[in-house]
Amino acid sequence: MTINESTGQALERERAGRTMKVAQHLFPGKIEECIEMLARYGGNARIVAGGTDLFLWLKEGKASAETLVDVSCIKEMKALEERSDCLILGPGLTHAEVASNPVVRRYFPALSDGCRSVGSPQIRNIGTLGGNIVSAQPAADSVVPLVALGAECEIRGLSGSRTELLEELFLGVGKSRVDPTREVITRIIVKKPEGKSGNAFARIAPREAMALPVINAAVQLTVDAGRISAARIVTAPVAVAPFRARKAEECLIGKQPGSIGDLKRAAKIAEEEAKPRDSLVRGSGEYRKALVKDLVEQALLRAAGSLG
Amino acid sequence: MQALKCVVNGKDVEVNVDPSRSLVDVLRTDLGLTGTKKGCGEGECGACTILLDGKPVNSCIIPVMKAQGRNILTIEGLAEAGELHPIQEAFIEAGAVQCGFCTPGVILSAKSLLEEFENPSQEEITEALSGHLCRCTGYLQFYDALKLAAEKIAEKKKATYGYGG
């Protein structure tokens, strides 16, 4: 343990088994083959997509793997399919690919804008949607909108296949319920809401590029017969996972989407619900609470404005 | 060790590599292509930018085997038959080079941008260069260089094909 290292980090490193080093990097051509490889190397193999997080964790000893099973060349992992009721996104799509896709833009501008905010162009050209989910950082700019859109993930592993709500995959900061040594996300399913709907993403960071968000927010409003029938409001990082401001969501039900007062009131409630911590990097809790209100308000106004 | 086969600057390359290494380390130490710089080593500064299948990426956080079967362009591959690429000429003429550490990466991002947009707007240039840290130029010379490069490329096309685009 070095002087600058916390006990937690030291434990994490020990658990990771520092001596293990990547000995092979494999490229399965199919998902089945990928699962077989994970089975064959029993816990010593790990899925890699873009690798932009994983490569650094491996270097720092925060993660370890003897075999990397690379999913970026599997065709199905990069598919983007529009169905009548949903979009199916391949988790191997890069942030750049999602951000520039016109179908995603048409239905889910929140997701386009979120993907466009990740890292830098160079990171967006290689980092993937699925990787961002499994990295489980609470304020991941592509994941926060996916949670607001109620996305589901199809996960395949040694013990079969299951579909889960994305928002339920978070165990803690950097910890996902998707275990990359045993399973892989194979599809991300984003339902098109029935009836009229609008969604939007907002973020603030110290700089406009290559800076992590101080606060980000994504919302989706669904309208039925002129009244809001469903609302999803997500903000981060104010908890260990993307945070749903459920009271703020509830207070919008039955309201008219054009009522600016109601949208502003919901943003105020979101501010009261969110409990951001003081952070040397991101700013004081008090400041970030105020930002929750501003960004949720901005996102709600834009989502309501896009209902058309 | 694993066998890596890829195309680097138009040439087929076969090299045995340790798969735990980064692409930038192999480019610099094994292939001797030291034009690609290693700055932060964490994907933050953009000095190590290369083009992978035509798209700018940070080679410092890419496991080297990810280059398997792919096409890599580094700054060494830009000049043709001893003649500088128009973007390189433009950077010299516009004085967009000072310490030189960010330059190879910036030029490669510029190349990718100019292939997508023949005449990029200020916003498109800002966006394309947003993954590069430069502490010398203040970025303004980059805008001049990119606009000049766009003109040079258009002129070259006109001279070659007899039309502007």
Side-chain angles (χ1 to χ4, degrees):
Chain A
M1 184 171 153
T2 63
I3 291 165
N4 294 323
E5 192 173 41
S6 72
T7 319
Q9 282 172 322
L11 272 173
E12 191 79 21
R13 201 185 55 184
E14 198 180 304
R15 215 174 300 145
R18 212 187 170 198
T19 49
M20 212 195 283
K21 203 177 132 189
V22 174
Q24 57 179 350
H25 189 141
L26 305 176
F27 294 89
K30 285 202 160 92
I31 290 168
E32 293 73 27
E33 221 182 305
C34 158
I35 310 286
E36 277 164 30
M37 284 175 179
L38 291 179
R40 192 178 323 142
Y41 298 104
N44 292 331
R46 184 182 169 121
I47 300 288
V48 61
T52 53
D53 282 329
L54 182 61
F55 188 75
L56 291 175
W57 295 341
L58 290 168
K59 212 168 73 173
E60 292 161 7
K62 288 181 188 164
S64 80
E66 223 164 34
T67 299
L68 294 180
V69 178
D70 199 315
V71 294
S72 53
C73 291
I74 301 176
K75 218 175 147 198
E76 301 158 82
M77 297 290 280
K78 291 189 83 76
L80 199 154
E81 184 191 339
E82 182 183 353
R83 295 198 180 165
S84 58
D85 61 339
C86 66
L87 283 195
I88 298 177
L89 302 165
L93 289 166
T94 64
H95 294 111
E97 285 163 344
V98 178
S100 64
N101 187 283
V103 180
V104 175
R105 180 92 231 158
R106 181 175 347 133
Y107 294 104
F108 305 119
L111 181 57
S112 288
D113 290 346
C115 285
R116 196 167 292 113
S117 306
V118 173
S120 62
Q122 295 99 309
I123 299 279
R124 294 196 286 278
N125 277 336
I126 193 142
T128 67
L129 218 46
N132 227 5
I133 293 172
V134 181
S135 287
Q137 297 302 315
D141 288 303
S142 65
V143 183
V144 167
L146 282 173
V147 172
L149 299 170
E152 294 176 320
C153 294
E154 183 191 84
I155 301 153
R156 272 161 76 178
L158 308 179
S159 47
S161 170
R162 66 184 199 276
T163 301
E164 293 205 47
L165 272 175
L166 166 59
E167 66 185 287
E168 286 166 7
L169 293 178
F170 291 86
L171 276 178
V173 176
K175 292 196 178 67
S176 170
R177 281 184 40 230
V178 181
D179 177 354
T181 67
R182 299 178 54 84
E183 52 197 6
V184 61
I185 299 178
T186 47
R187 300 201 297 180
I188 300 161
I189 303 137
V190 193
K191 290 205 173 83
K192 297 180 192 165
E194 282 173 30
K196 272 189 180 178
S197 79
N199 57 80
F201 174 78
R203 139 198 240 265
I204 193 161
R207 288 178 292 140
E208 281 185 29
M210 291 217 292
L212 294 172
V214 172
I215 289 289
N216 59 16
V219 305
Q220 174 161 263
L221 295 175
T222 310
V223 173
D224 188 26
R227 303 276 169 178
I228 295 172
S229 56
R232 290 176 69 95
I233 299 174
V234 181
T235 183
V238 300
V240 296
F243 175 76
R244 269 186 74 186
R246 289 182 190 265
K247 286 182 189 155
E249 291 175 357
E250 277 162 29
C251 91
L252 283 174
I253 306 297
K255 301 288 192 316
Q256 288 177 332
S259 163
I260 290 169
D262 285 321
L263 299 178
K264 286 190 168 179
R265 208 162 302 125
K268 184 71 191 157
I269 294 172
E271 176 186 11
E272 285 158 17
E273 282 181 87
K275 306 250 177 317
R277 289 190 309 179
D278 290 329
S279 158
L280 286 174
V281 185
R282 299 184 198 262
S284 73
E286 202 185 346
Y287 166 61
R288 296 166 66 228
K289 235 170 139 56
L291 288 179
V292 166
K293 179 179 95 32
D294 288 351
L295 295 182
V296 167
E297 187 178 305
Q298 272 180 29
L300 284 172
L301 290 170
R302 266 196 281 135
S306 73
L307 286 161
Chain B
M1 297 294 268
Q2 259 183 293
L4 171 69
K5 280 187 196 176
C6 56
V7 176
V8 180
N9 299 332
K11 290 186 197 111
D12 288 325
V13 167
E14 266 190 75
V15 58
N16 279 330
V17 296
D18 168 353
S20 69
R21 292 171 74 201
S22 66
L23 180 55
V24 67
D25 285 344
V26 172
L27 287 172
R28 288 178 55 84
T29 52
D30 298 35
L31 303 180
L33 297 169
T34 53
T36 304
K37 304 304 176 196
K38 191 175 177 184
C40 66
E42 296 182 347
E44 296 279 344
C45 76
C48 66
T49 300
I50 55 137
L51 300 187
L52 186 62
D53 292 337
K55 287 183 184 149
V57 295
N58 296 315
S59 62
C60 73
I61 50 170
I62 296 186
V64 61
M65 286 306 291
K66 272 201 170 284
Q68 187 74 286
R70 302 180 73 174
N71 202 320
I72 291 170
L73 185 73
T74 72
I75 193 71
E76 288 90 345
L78 228 53
E80 271 176 36
E83 209 173 294
L84 289 181
H85 189 279
I87 303 174
Q88 291 173 305
E89 285 175 3
F91 268 65
I92 295 168
E93 286 169 32
V97 181
Q98 198 169 322
C99 89
F101 212 77
C102 73
T103 318
V106 173
I107 289 179
L108 289 165
S109 282
K111 180 167 193 291
S112 170
L113 174 73
L114 291 171
E115 267 163 20
E116 199 182 344
F117 303 99
E118 283 181 6
N119 203 1
S121 66
Q122 190 92 354
E123 290 73 37
E124 282 157 352
I125 298 174
T126 303
E127 170 64 22
L129 301 188
S130 64
H132 293 275
L133 295 184
C134 170
R135 301 293 85 162
C136 301
T137 65
Y139 295 85
L140 295 177
Q141 291 88 336
F142 290 156
Y143 292 108
D144 298 341
L146 261 87
K147 283 172 186 155
L148 186 57
E151 286 168 22
K152 281 175 180 284
I153 291 169
E155 271 168 33
K156 207 174 164 181
K157 270 189 191 161
K158 207 172 172 183
T160 314
Y161 304 110
Y163 66 93

